[in-house]
Amino acid sequence: MNPTNYLYLSAILFSIGAVGVVVRKNAIVVFMCIELMLNAANLAFVTFAKINGNLEGQVMAFFTMVVAACEVVVGLAIIVTIFRSRRSASVDDASLLSR
Amino acid sequence: MNIQAPALEYGALAPILIILAAAVIGVMVEAFLSAKVRAPIQLAISLGAVVLSLSQVWNLRGSATTTAAVNSVVIDGPVLFMQGTILILSLFAFLLIADIDAFAAQASAVPGSSEEARALESGRIQSEVYPLTLFAIGGMMIFPAANDLITLFVALEVLSLPLYLMAGLSRRRRLLSQEAALKYFLLGAYSSAFFLFGAAFLYGFAGDVSLAGIRSAVSGGPGNDVFLIIGMVSLSVGLLFKVGAAPFHAWTPDVYQGAPTPITAFMAAATKVAAFGAILRIFYVSLGGAVYSWKPILTAVAILTMVVGSVIAIAQRDIKRMLAYSSIAHAGFLLTGVIALNQEGLRASLFYLASYGITTIGAFALVTLVRDSSGEVGDLNRWIGLSKRSPAMALIFSVFLLSFAGIPLTAGFIGKFTIFTAAYESGNIAVVVAGVLSSAIAAFFYVRVIVMIFFTDSKQDTVTVAIPSLYTNLTIWIAAITTLALGLFPAPLLDFISTFSTFAR
């Protein structure tokens, strides 16, 4: 199969994630959309590794997975803390600062 | 099968490794020592590591450009200067962190709960902030030194993740602080995703993740130009977010206001140095050949950033938000140095980063002193007539504001002058005109604050200027003296920077 198709898929997934971050209200869902964007980038890396015929893209994909795992740890800690103090994980409720 | 271990150039990496090792030791201290003794030990470890690392940077200053860790890190002049600047700024940030009771007793406790009351009563603070800061410093030192996209991405995350957490550690106004952490985290992760997507397409374009490989592909390779454009744009979005350039600046005022003030100072000063270090390297070294593709866009972003920062700052009523918009405007001025794309521009950017960083640390240190019974007072209306209560501090704050405004005899003037000169000489007239005009707008609100502090009679109010303790006092005075000294005698530092201002290619 033509590897370019994977690039289109990657771009579509990335766009879904990018739009999702903007339109969704729950912090967890927003965060999942960001993870989708990271994985779309990973797909692009692996596809380019196949196209270019070297391994650097695949190595980068592993690094991205590790970094994404760290991001989950930090992100969920922040989201859980804010949920405990507000009883809500909606990003629209968190608006004390802009007043 | 015989696998050879790659050679790590420990000498060249020493400044970074010292900081990261100290951070790991800090985590161990948190795990094994009792809560009462942790904070002073953590401070000693942190200050010791920063000073040791600084001495290593100083030792490396004359050495030839080297790459380390199998070409993933490059140690050249600009990198050493930026690492030194980051370390000096971190030293002052640590003094502020140690000095002020700005941090939560237990960040996980729900605000207002009995759990939090118990934690406050026990007199603890969340001393994890020291190792977190050290990790962030480590990431900041690698970020401008990264020589390939992998290292660049990992360094970006290493510097960002601790900052997200530290933004939520404020002792007072906990809900605001947690909200700042949430906003910073979500928008920061969003921009990281753009950065990564851009990195993927640059790799697809060049077939190589190293910055040198991308440079040779840009200056005439077989690569697909569509990949290059997508990669450049996405990567730039990620980087411009980090420095708070418009239209990606929305997080800056919220996070600056909500985060504990010592962390705001650290973030405003040191992150800017690291992020501009990476931006300068990518645009000067890797994408220099594609200058006609990115220059119009970056010029528009720079002009927009300067104007947005300067104009919206006028309407701010909170001192930290005002300084946040001021930092956005300064990001615009610094982008002028990127657009200049010549050695003069690099030299001016390095000088600007150093002088802006030290002034910023001083200004936020002073913000921590203006208090009432419930903590820091950010409301500008309550700063009216502050000179009556503490003339010396009011005078020093005016020096910082005048330096931000770029009034002669301060470091800010020399910074702006050199950076606009560099942009002018490279033929970017439009951005220089916009820069000078928005400087004039910006001067208005800085001077307005000075007028409020000095020439307006105060109403009866409970706001006081706390007597600064040794650490804060030291930070404020050194920042003030440096700001004036760099304004009066800029030549030694400019000459010093000249020996550093060539990127390895």
Side-chain angles (χ1 to χ4, degrees):
Chain A
M1 191 170 153
N2 184 2
T4 320
N5 291 339
Y6 289 103
L7 290 181
Y8 290 127
L9 176 64
S10 156
I12 290 168
L13 288 176
F14 188 83
S15 311
I16 292 173
V19 172
V21 170
V22 179
V23 300
R24 296 305 294 259
K25 292 194 183 348
N26 189 304
I28 302 273
V29 179
V30 170
F31 189 37
M32 282 163 63
C33 290
I34 291 170
E35 292 293 315
L36 183 63
M37 293 165 74
L38 290 178
N39 284 321
N42 254 357
L43 180 60
F45 265 116
V46 175
T47 311
F48 280 129
K50 172 84 176 159
I51 294 175
N52 292 326
N54 60 27
L55 284 177
E56 283 164 346
Q58 298 193 20
V59 173
M60 182 80 182
F62 278 112
F63 274 95
T64 310
M65 280 183 232
V66 175
V67 167
C70 301
E71 225 166 46
V72 169
V73 173
V74 169
L76 286 185
I78 293 173
I79 294 171
V80 167
T81 319
I82 206 160
F83 177 78
R84 270 155 51 94
S85 37
R86 290 171 185 275
R87 293 282 138 206
S88 149
S90 162
V91 287
D92 285 358
D93 288 353
S95 60
L96 292 168
L97 278 163
S98 44
R99 282 177 202 158
Chain B
M1 198 165 78
N2 191 13
I3 299 174
Q4 272 201 322
L8 290 178
E9 285 73 7
Y10 287 106
L13 291 174
I16 301 166
L17 293 178
I18 289 168
I19 293 290
L20 292 176
V24 173
I25 294 171
V27 173
M28 290 293 156
V29 168
E30 286 300 321
F32 292 113
L33 292 185
S34 81
K36 288 198 176 57
V37 296
R38 276 184 217 154
I41 291 178
Q42 293 282 21
L43 178 65
I45 292 172
S46 308
L47 289 181
V50 170
V51 170
L52 196 63
S53 175
L54 203 54
S55 73
Q56 289 299 317
V57 172
W58 181 254
N59 286 339
L60 284 171
R61 74 191 183 283
S63 58
T65 296
T66 50
T67 58
V70 204
N71 278 331
S72 62
V73 170
V74 59
I75 305 292
D76 57 10
V79 166
L80 286 174
F81 184 79
M82 279 183 255
Q83 288 185 338
T85 311
I86 290 167
L87 286 167
I88 291 172
L89 296 174
S90 312
L91 198 63
F92 292 121
F94 272 124
L95 292 181
L96 292 181
I97 289 170
D99 192 40
I100 300 145
D101 56 341
F103 295 98
Q106 190 184 341
S108 60
V110 175
S113 66
S114 59
E115 192 188 5
E116 190 191 32
R118 269 201 306 281
L120 282 171
E121 213 168 276
S122 71
R124 280 187 291 164
I125 68 151
Q126 195 86 53
S127 51
E128 281 87 348
V129 67
Y130 293 100
L132 286 174
T133 313
L134 282 171
F135 278 122
I137 297 169
M140 286 172 189
M141 289 170 72
I142 304 172
F143 200 36
N147 203 24
D148 60 41
L149 295 171
I150 300 178
T151 317
L152 206 61
F153 178 64
V154 173
L156 175 71
E157 292 296 316
V158 171
L159 87 85
S160 300
L161 292 178
L163 284 175
Y164 301 149
L165 289 174
M166 291 193 295
L169 289 182
S170 178
R171 190 182 198 88
R172 300 184 183 78
R173 303 194 186 91
R174 290 279 306 283
L175 284 179
L176 284 187
S177 182
Q178 290 179 354
E179 189 180 309
L182 181 72
K183 284 184 177 169
Y184 195 18
F185 169 71
L186 287 179
L187 291 173
Y190 193 44
S191 77
S192 297
F194 275 98
F195 181 91
L196 192 68
F197 196 69
F201 275 81
L202 277 185
Y203 166 64
F205 164 75
D208 192 352
V209 289
S210 76
L211 296 189
I214 294 170
R215 185 183 78 243
S216 53
V218 166
S219 57
N224 183 337
D225 278 348
V226 178
F227 291 170
L228 175 64
I229 300 293
I230 296 176
M232 255 185 344
V233 170
S234 291
L235 195 83
S236 309
V237 169
L239 288 169
L240 291 173
F241 173 90
K242 277 290 153 209
V243 297
F248 317 108
H249 66 285
W251 61 278
T252 317
D254 287 353
V255 174
Y256 277 30
Q257 190 190 356
T261 310
I263 298 304
T264 312
F266 174 62
M267 201 150 66
T271 312
K272 204 147 263 184
V273 179
F276 266 104
I279 289 182
L280 285 164
R281 176 177 297 285
I282 289 171
F283 282 102
Y284 274 57
V285 174
S286 281
L287 303 177
V291 56
Y292 294 105
S293 309
W294 55 260
K295 199 179 222 172
I297 304 171
L298 210 61
T299 306
V301 168
I303 293 174
L304 187 67
T305 308
M306 291 187 276
V307 172
V308 163
S310 305
V311 171
I312 302 184
I314 297 175
Q316 297 307 312
R317 285 172 304 178
D318 185 282
I319 184 78
K320 279 164 90 180
R321 286 184 89 83
M322 194 204 86
L323 289 176
Y325 279 105
S326 143
S327 97
I328 294 169
H330 283 283
F333 299 138
L334 276 158
L335 283 175
T336 316
V338 181
I339 295 165
L341 202 69
N342 53 21
Q343 194 165 2
E344 196 55 35
L346 179 58
R347 190 173 78 131
S349 301
L350 292 177
F351 181 87
Y352 200 116
L353 285 167
S355 63
Y356 170 76
I358 195 78
T359 311
T360 306
I361 289 258
F364 279 108
L366 239 154
V367 170
T368 64
L369 295 177
V370 182
R371 299 170 160 225
D372 65 5
S373 55
S374 66
E376 284 166 27
V377 173
D379 188 355
L380 268 175
N381 284 326
R382 298 180 66 187
W383 281 54
I384 287 175
L386 216 59
S387 67
K388 305 277 190 307
R389 302 198 185 96
S390 178
M393 288 300 143
L395 199 64
I396 291 179
F397 198 64
S398 313
V399 170
F400 293 145
L401 289 179
L402 291 176
S403 178
F404 284 144
I407 305 293
L409 304 184
T410 60
F413 172 73
I414 307 292
K416 274 192 187 145
F417 183 75
T418 50
I419 213 162
F420 287 153
T421 309
Y424 179 79
E425 280 171 0
S426 65
N428 296 283
I429 314 294
V431 77
V432 175
V433 171
V436 172
L437 286 179
S438 53
S439 294
I441 300 171
F444 167 74
F445 66 79
Y446 294 122
V447 172
R448 194 187 59 159
V449 174
I450 296 174
V451 169
M452 279 166 90
I453 293 176
F454 275 98
F455 305 112
T456 316
D457 280 337
S458 71
K459 292 161 278 184
Q460 284 302 313
D461 201 345
T462 52
V463 178
T464 57
V465 179
I467 307 291
S469 65
L470 177 66
Y471 291 153
T472 311
N473 221 354
L474 204 64
T475 308
I476 292 171
W477 281 100
I478 291 177
I481 291 167
T482 314
T483 304
L484 284 175
L486 289 181
L488 294 168
F489 312 105
L493 182 62
L494 282 170
D495 290 344
F496 184 66
I497 292 173
S498 296
T499 60
F500 286 96
S501 55
T502 315
F503 274 124
R505 282 171 198 271

